[in-house]
Amino acid sequence: MSTLQNTTSSSIIFLLTGVPGLEVFHTWISIPFCFLYVTALSGNSLILFAITTQPNLHEPMYYFLSMLSTTDLGLSVSTLVTMLGIFWFNAREIGFNACLSQMFFIQLFTVMESSVLLAMVFDRFVAISNPLRYASVLTDLKIAQIGTVIITRGTLILTPMVMLLKRLSYCRSHVLQHSYCFHPDVMKLSCTDTRINSAVGLAALITTAGVDSIFIILSYIFIIKTLLSIASPKERKKAFSTCISHIGAVAVFYIPLISLSFVHRFGKRAPPYVHTLIANAYLLIPPLMNPIIYSVKTKQIRKAVLKVLHCSTTKN
């Protein structure tokens, strides 16, 4: 019985993992990761600043984009300290409560990103199907209410999932598989029944990203149906072009998420570093790519970003 110690108290220490098998190269591996973090943080901060300071961007579409940039910043900051700490200082230890806090915020910002992507496709649907009522439907108050619902939804769904981990006993190895706290990893270290935790975790995934993805697909079906009813090919192409950036954002969010789910479920024989790289890509690719996609594909954002950069270089 001595081996079955209940270590769910705040004194428990988990050990995070960098890239298995490549520990001697962690310093070199940190260079591209550091570059990705700097690019993601600066890109999203720049878009937020541009939307805040440019009056012509005070429209529903760009308010939702600012929400997306905010969630991407939160997602990056949630893993920045532990990931670079491992690569630079081999700082692998993380306390139980700190681990749960990091897990909660990673999951919260992931759910918020999924919700914002759903809100953005609703924005595009209203703009294309009923442009005359666009301003009256998506008022500033309505957008603020949507933002509040997004945060509240994520908090209410994820709090039970994270708090239920406190009831478990951890008597096995305390080594986690990733460089951040991931819900399935922590569950695997428990020596008690985790069926309730698994069910709640699956329910949280289905009711957030699962439901959101279905509504996003349905929304695009209605958007395409509306576009096909537009007689002019030029107008049809112009209307669809406003969706290109959003489609790119959906792709860079859901493809890594689905890949990570498949690897965890079916990639048992894959090398450990494959799991690690996909898990890191799942958190790094959306914050990195979204500013690039919207800067390249959205003329107004591109002009605003260039204007901000020009003003900052002029002042210097």
Side-chain angles (χ1 to χ4, degrees):
M1 292 294 291
S2 61
T3 57
L4 297 177
Q5 304 173 43
N6 189 332
T7 54
T8 58
S9 67
S10 58
S11 62
I12 187 173
I13 299 295
F14 289 123
L15 294 177
L16 299 170
T17 302
V19 183
L22 300 176
E23 287 82 1
V24 294
F25 301 108
H26 272 182
T27 302
W28 293 104
I29 293 173
S30 70
I31 296 174
F33 274 99
C34 187
F35 173 77
L36 293 177
Y37 271 116
V38 170
T39 304
L41 292 172
S42 57
N44 285 290
S45 298
L46 191 58
I47 284 184
L48 268 176
F49 183 76
I51 293 173
T52 303
T53 57
Q54 303 297 316
N56 64 308
L57 297 182
H58 293 175
E59 298 178 6
M61 175 182 175
Y62 304 112
Y63 288 144
F64 287 125
L65 178 56
S66 67
M67 292 183 193
L68 186 66
S69 293
T70 301
T71 59
D72 283 336
L73 283 172
L75 205 54
S76 298
V77 172
S78 296
T79 58
L80 175 65
V81 175
T82 56
M83 195 175 294
L84 294 184
I86 292 171
F87 291 144
W88 285 349
F89 310 110
N90 196 33
R92 298 178 58 198
E93 294 186 352
I94 185 169
F96 182 73
N97 288 330
C99 183
L100 294 191
S101 297
Q102 184 187 47
M103 181 194 306
F104 173 78
F105 283 109
I106 289 173
Q107 296 291 104
L108 176 63
F109 287 118
T110 300
V111 169
M112 286 175 60
E113 180 135 355
S114 177
S115 302
V116 171
L117 290 172
L118 176 59
M120 293 175 83
V121 77
F122 173 71
D123 167 81
R124 291 298 84 208
F125 172 70
V126 175
I128 292 172
S129 64
N130 205 337
L132 296 179
R133 293 191 58 203
Y134 178 68
S136 61
V137 171
L138 289 171
T139 61
D140 290 350
L141 177 60
K142 183 66 68 176
I143 293 170
Q145 290 173 340
I146 291 173
T148 302
V149 169
I150 287 172
I151 297 172
T152 305
R153 175 203 190 201
T155 303
L156 292 178
I157 290 175
L158 296 174
T159 299
M161 184 187 80
V162 174
M163 294 306 295
L164 279 172
L165 292 172
K166 283 182 170 286
R167 74 181 184 88
L168 301 179
S169 296
Y170 300 91
C171 53
R172 297 173 184 164
S173 167
H174 290 166
V175 179
L176 298 171
Q177 294 182 359
H178 302 304
S179 51
Y180 55 86
C181 289
F182 190 49
H183 185 259
D185 282 352
V186 177
M187 275 199 309
K188 288 177 183 177
L189 302 184
S190 173
C191 54
T192 48
D193 190 357
T194 60
R195 283 179 293 181
I196 293 177
N197 299 75
S198 298
V200 172
L202 180 61
L205 179 64
I206 292 173
T207 55
T208 54
V211 171
D212 292 347
S213 61
I214 291 172
F215 278 111
I216 288 172
I217 292 171
L218 289 175
S219 297
Y220 270 110
I221 291 174
F222 286 119
I223 287 174
I224 291 171
K225 184 178 178 181
T226 303
L227 290 173
L228 293 176
S229 66
I230 299 175
S232 171
K234 185 178 179 180
E235 291 298 320
R236 192 184 307 159
K237 182 179 179 181
K238 182 180 178 181
F240 184 72
S241 66
T242 63
C243 300
I244 296 297
S245 298
H246 180 263
I247 292 172
V250 169
V252 300
F253 176 76
Y254 279 101
I255 290 175
L257 180 62
I258 294 170
S259 300
L260 181 63
S261 300
F262 269 92
V263 166
H264 267 278
R265 192 166 296 273
F266 305 111
K268 307 294 184 182
R269 298 181 182 178
Y273 64 83
V274 172
H275 290 257
T276 301
L277 292 176
I278 291 178
N280 290 335
Y282 147 70
L283 293 181
L284 278 173
I285 287 180
L288 173 72
M289 293 303 299
N290 284 335
I292 297 173
I293 290 171
Y294 276 92
S295 296
V296 171
K297 293 294 184 180
T298 308
K299 184 169 67 174
Q300 291 86 344
I301 291 293
R302 183 169 63 251
K303 285 183 176 180
V305 168
L306 291 174
K307 185 177 179 180
V308 170
L309 291 174
H310 177 71
C311 291
S312 62
T313 54
T314 303
K315 290 179 181 178
N316 293 334

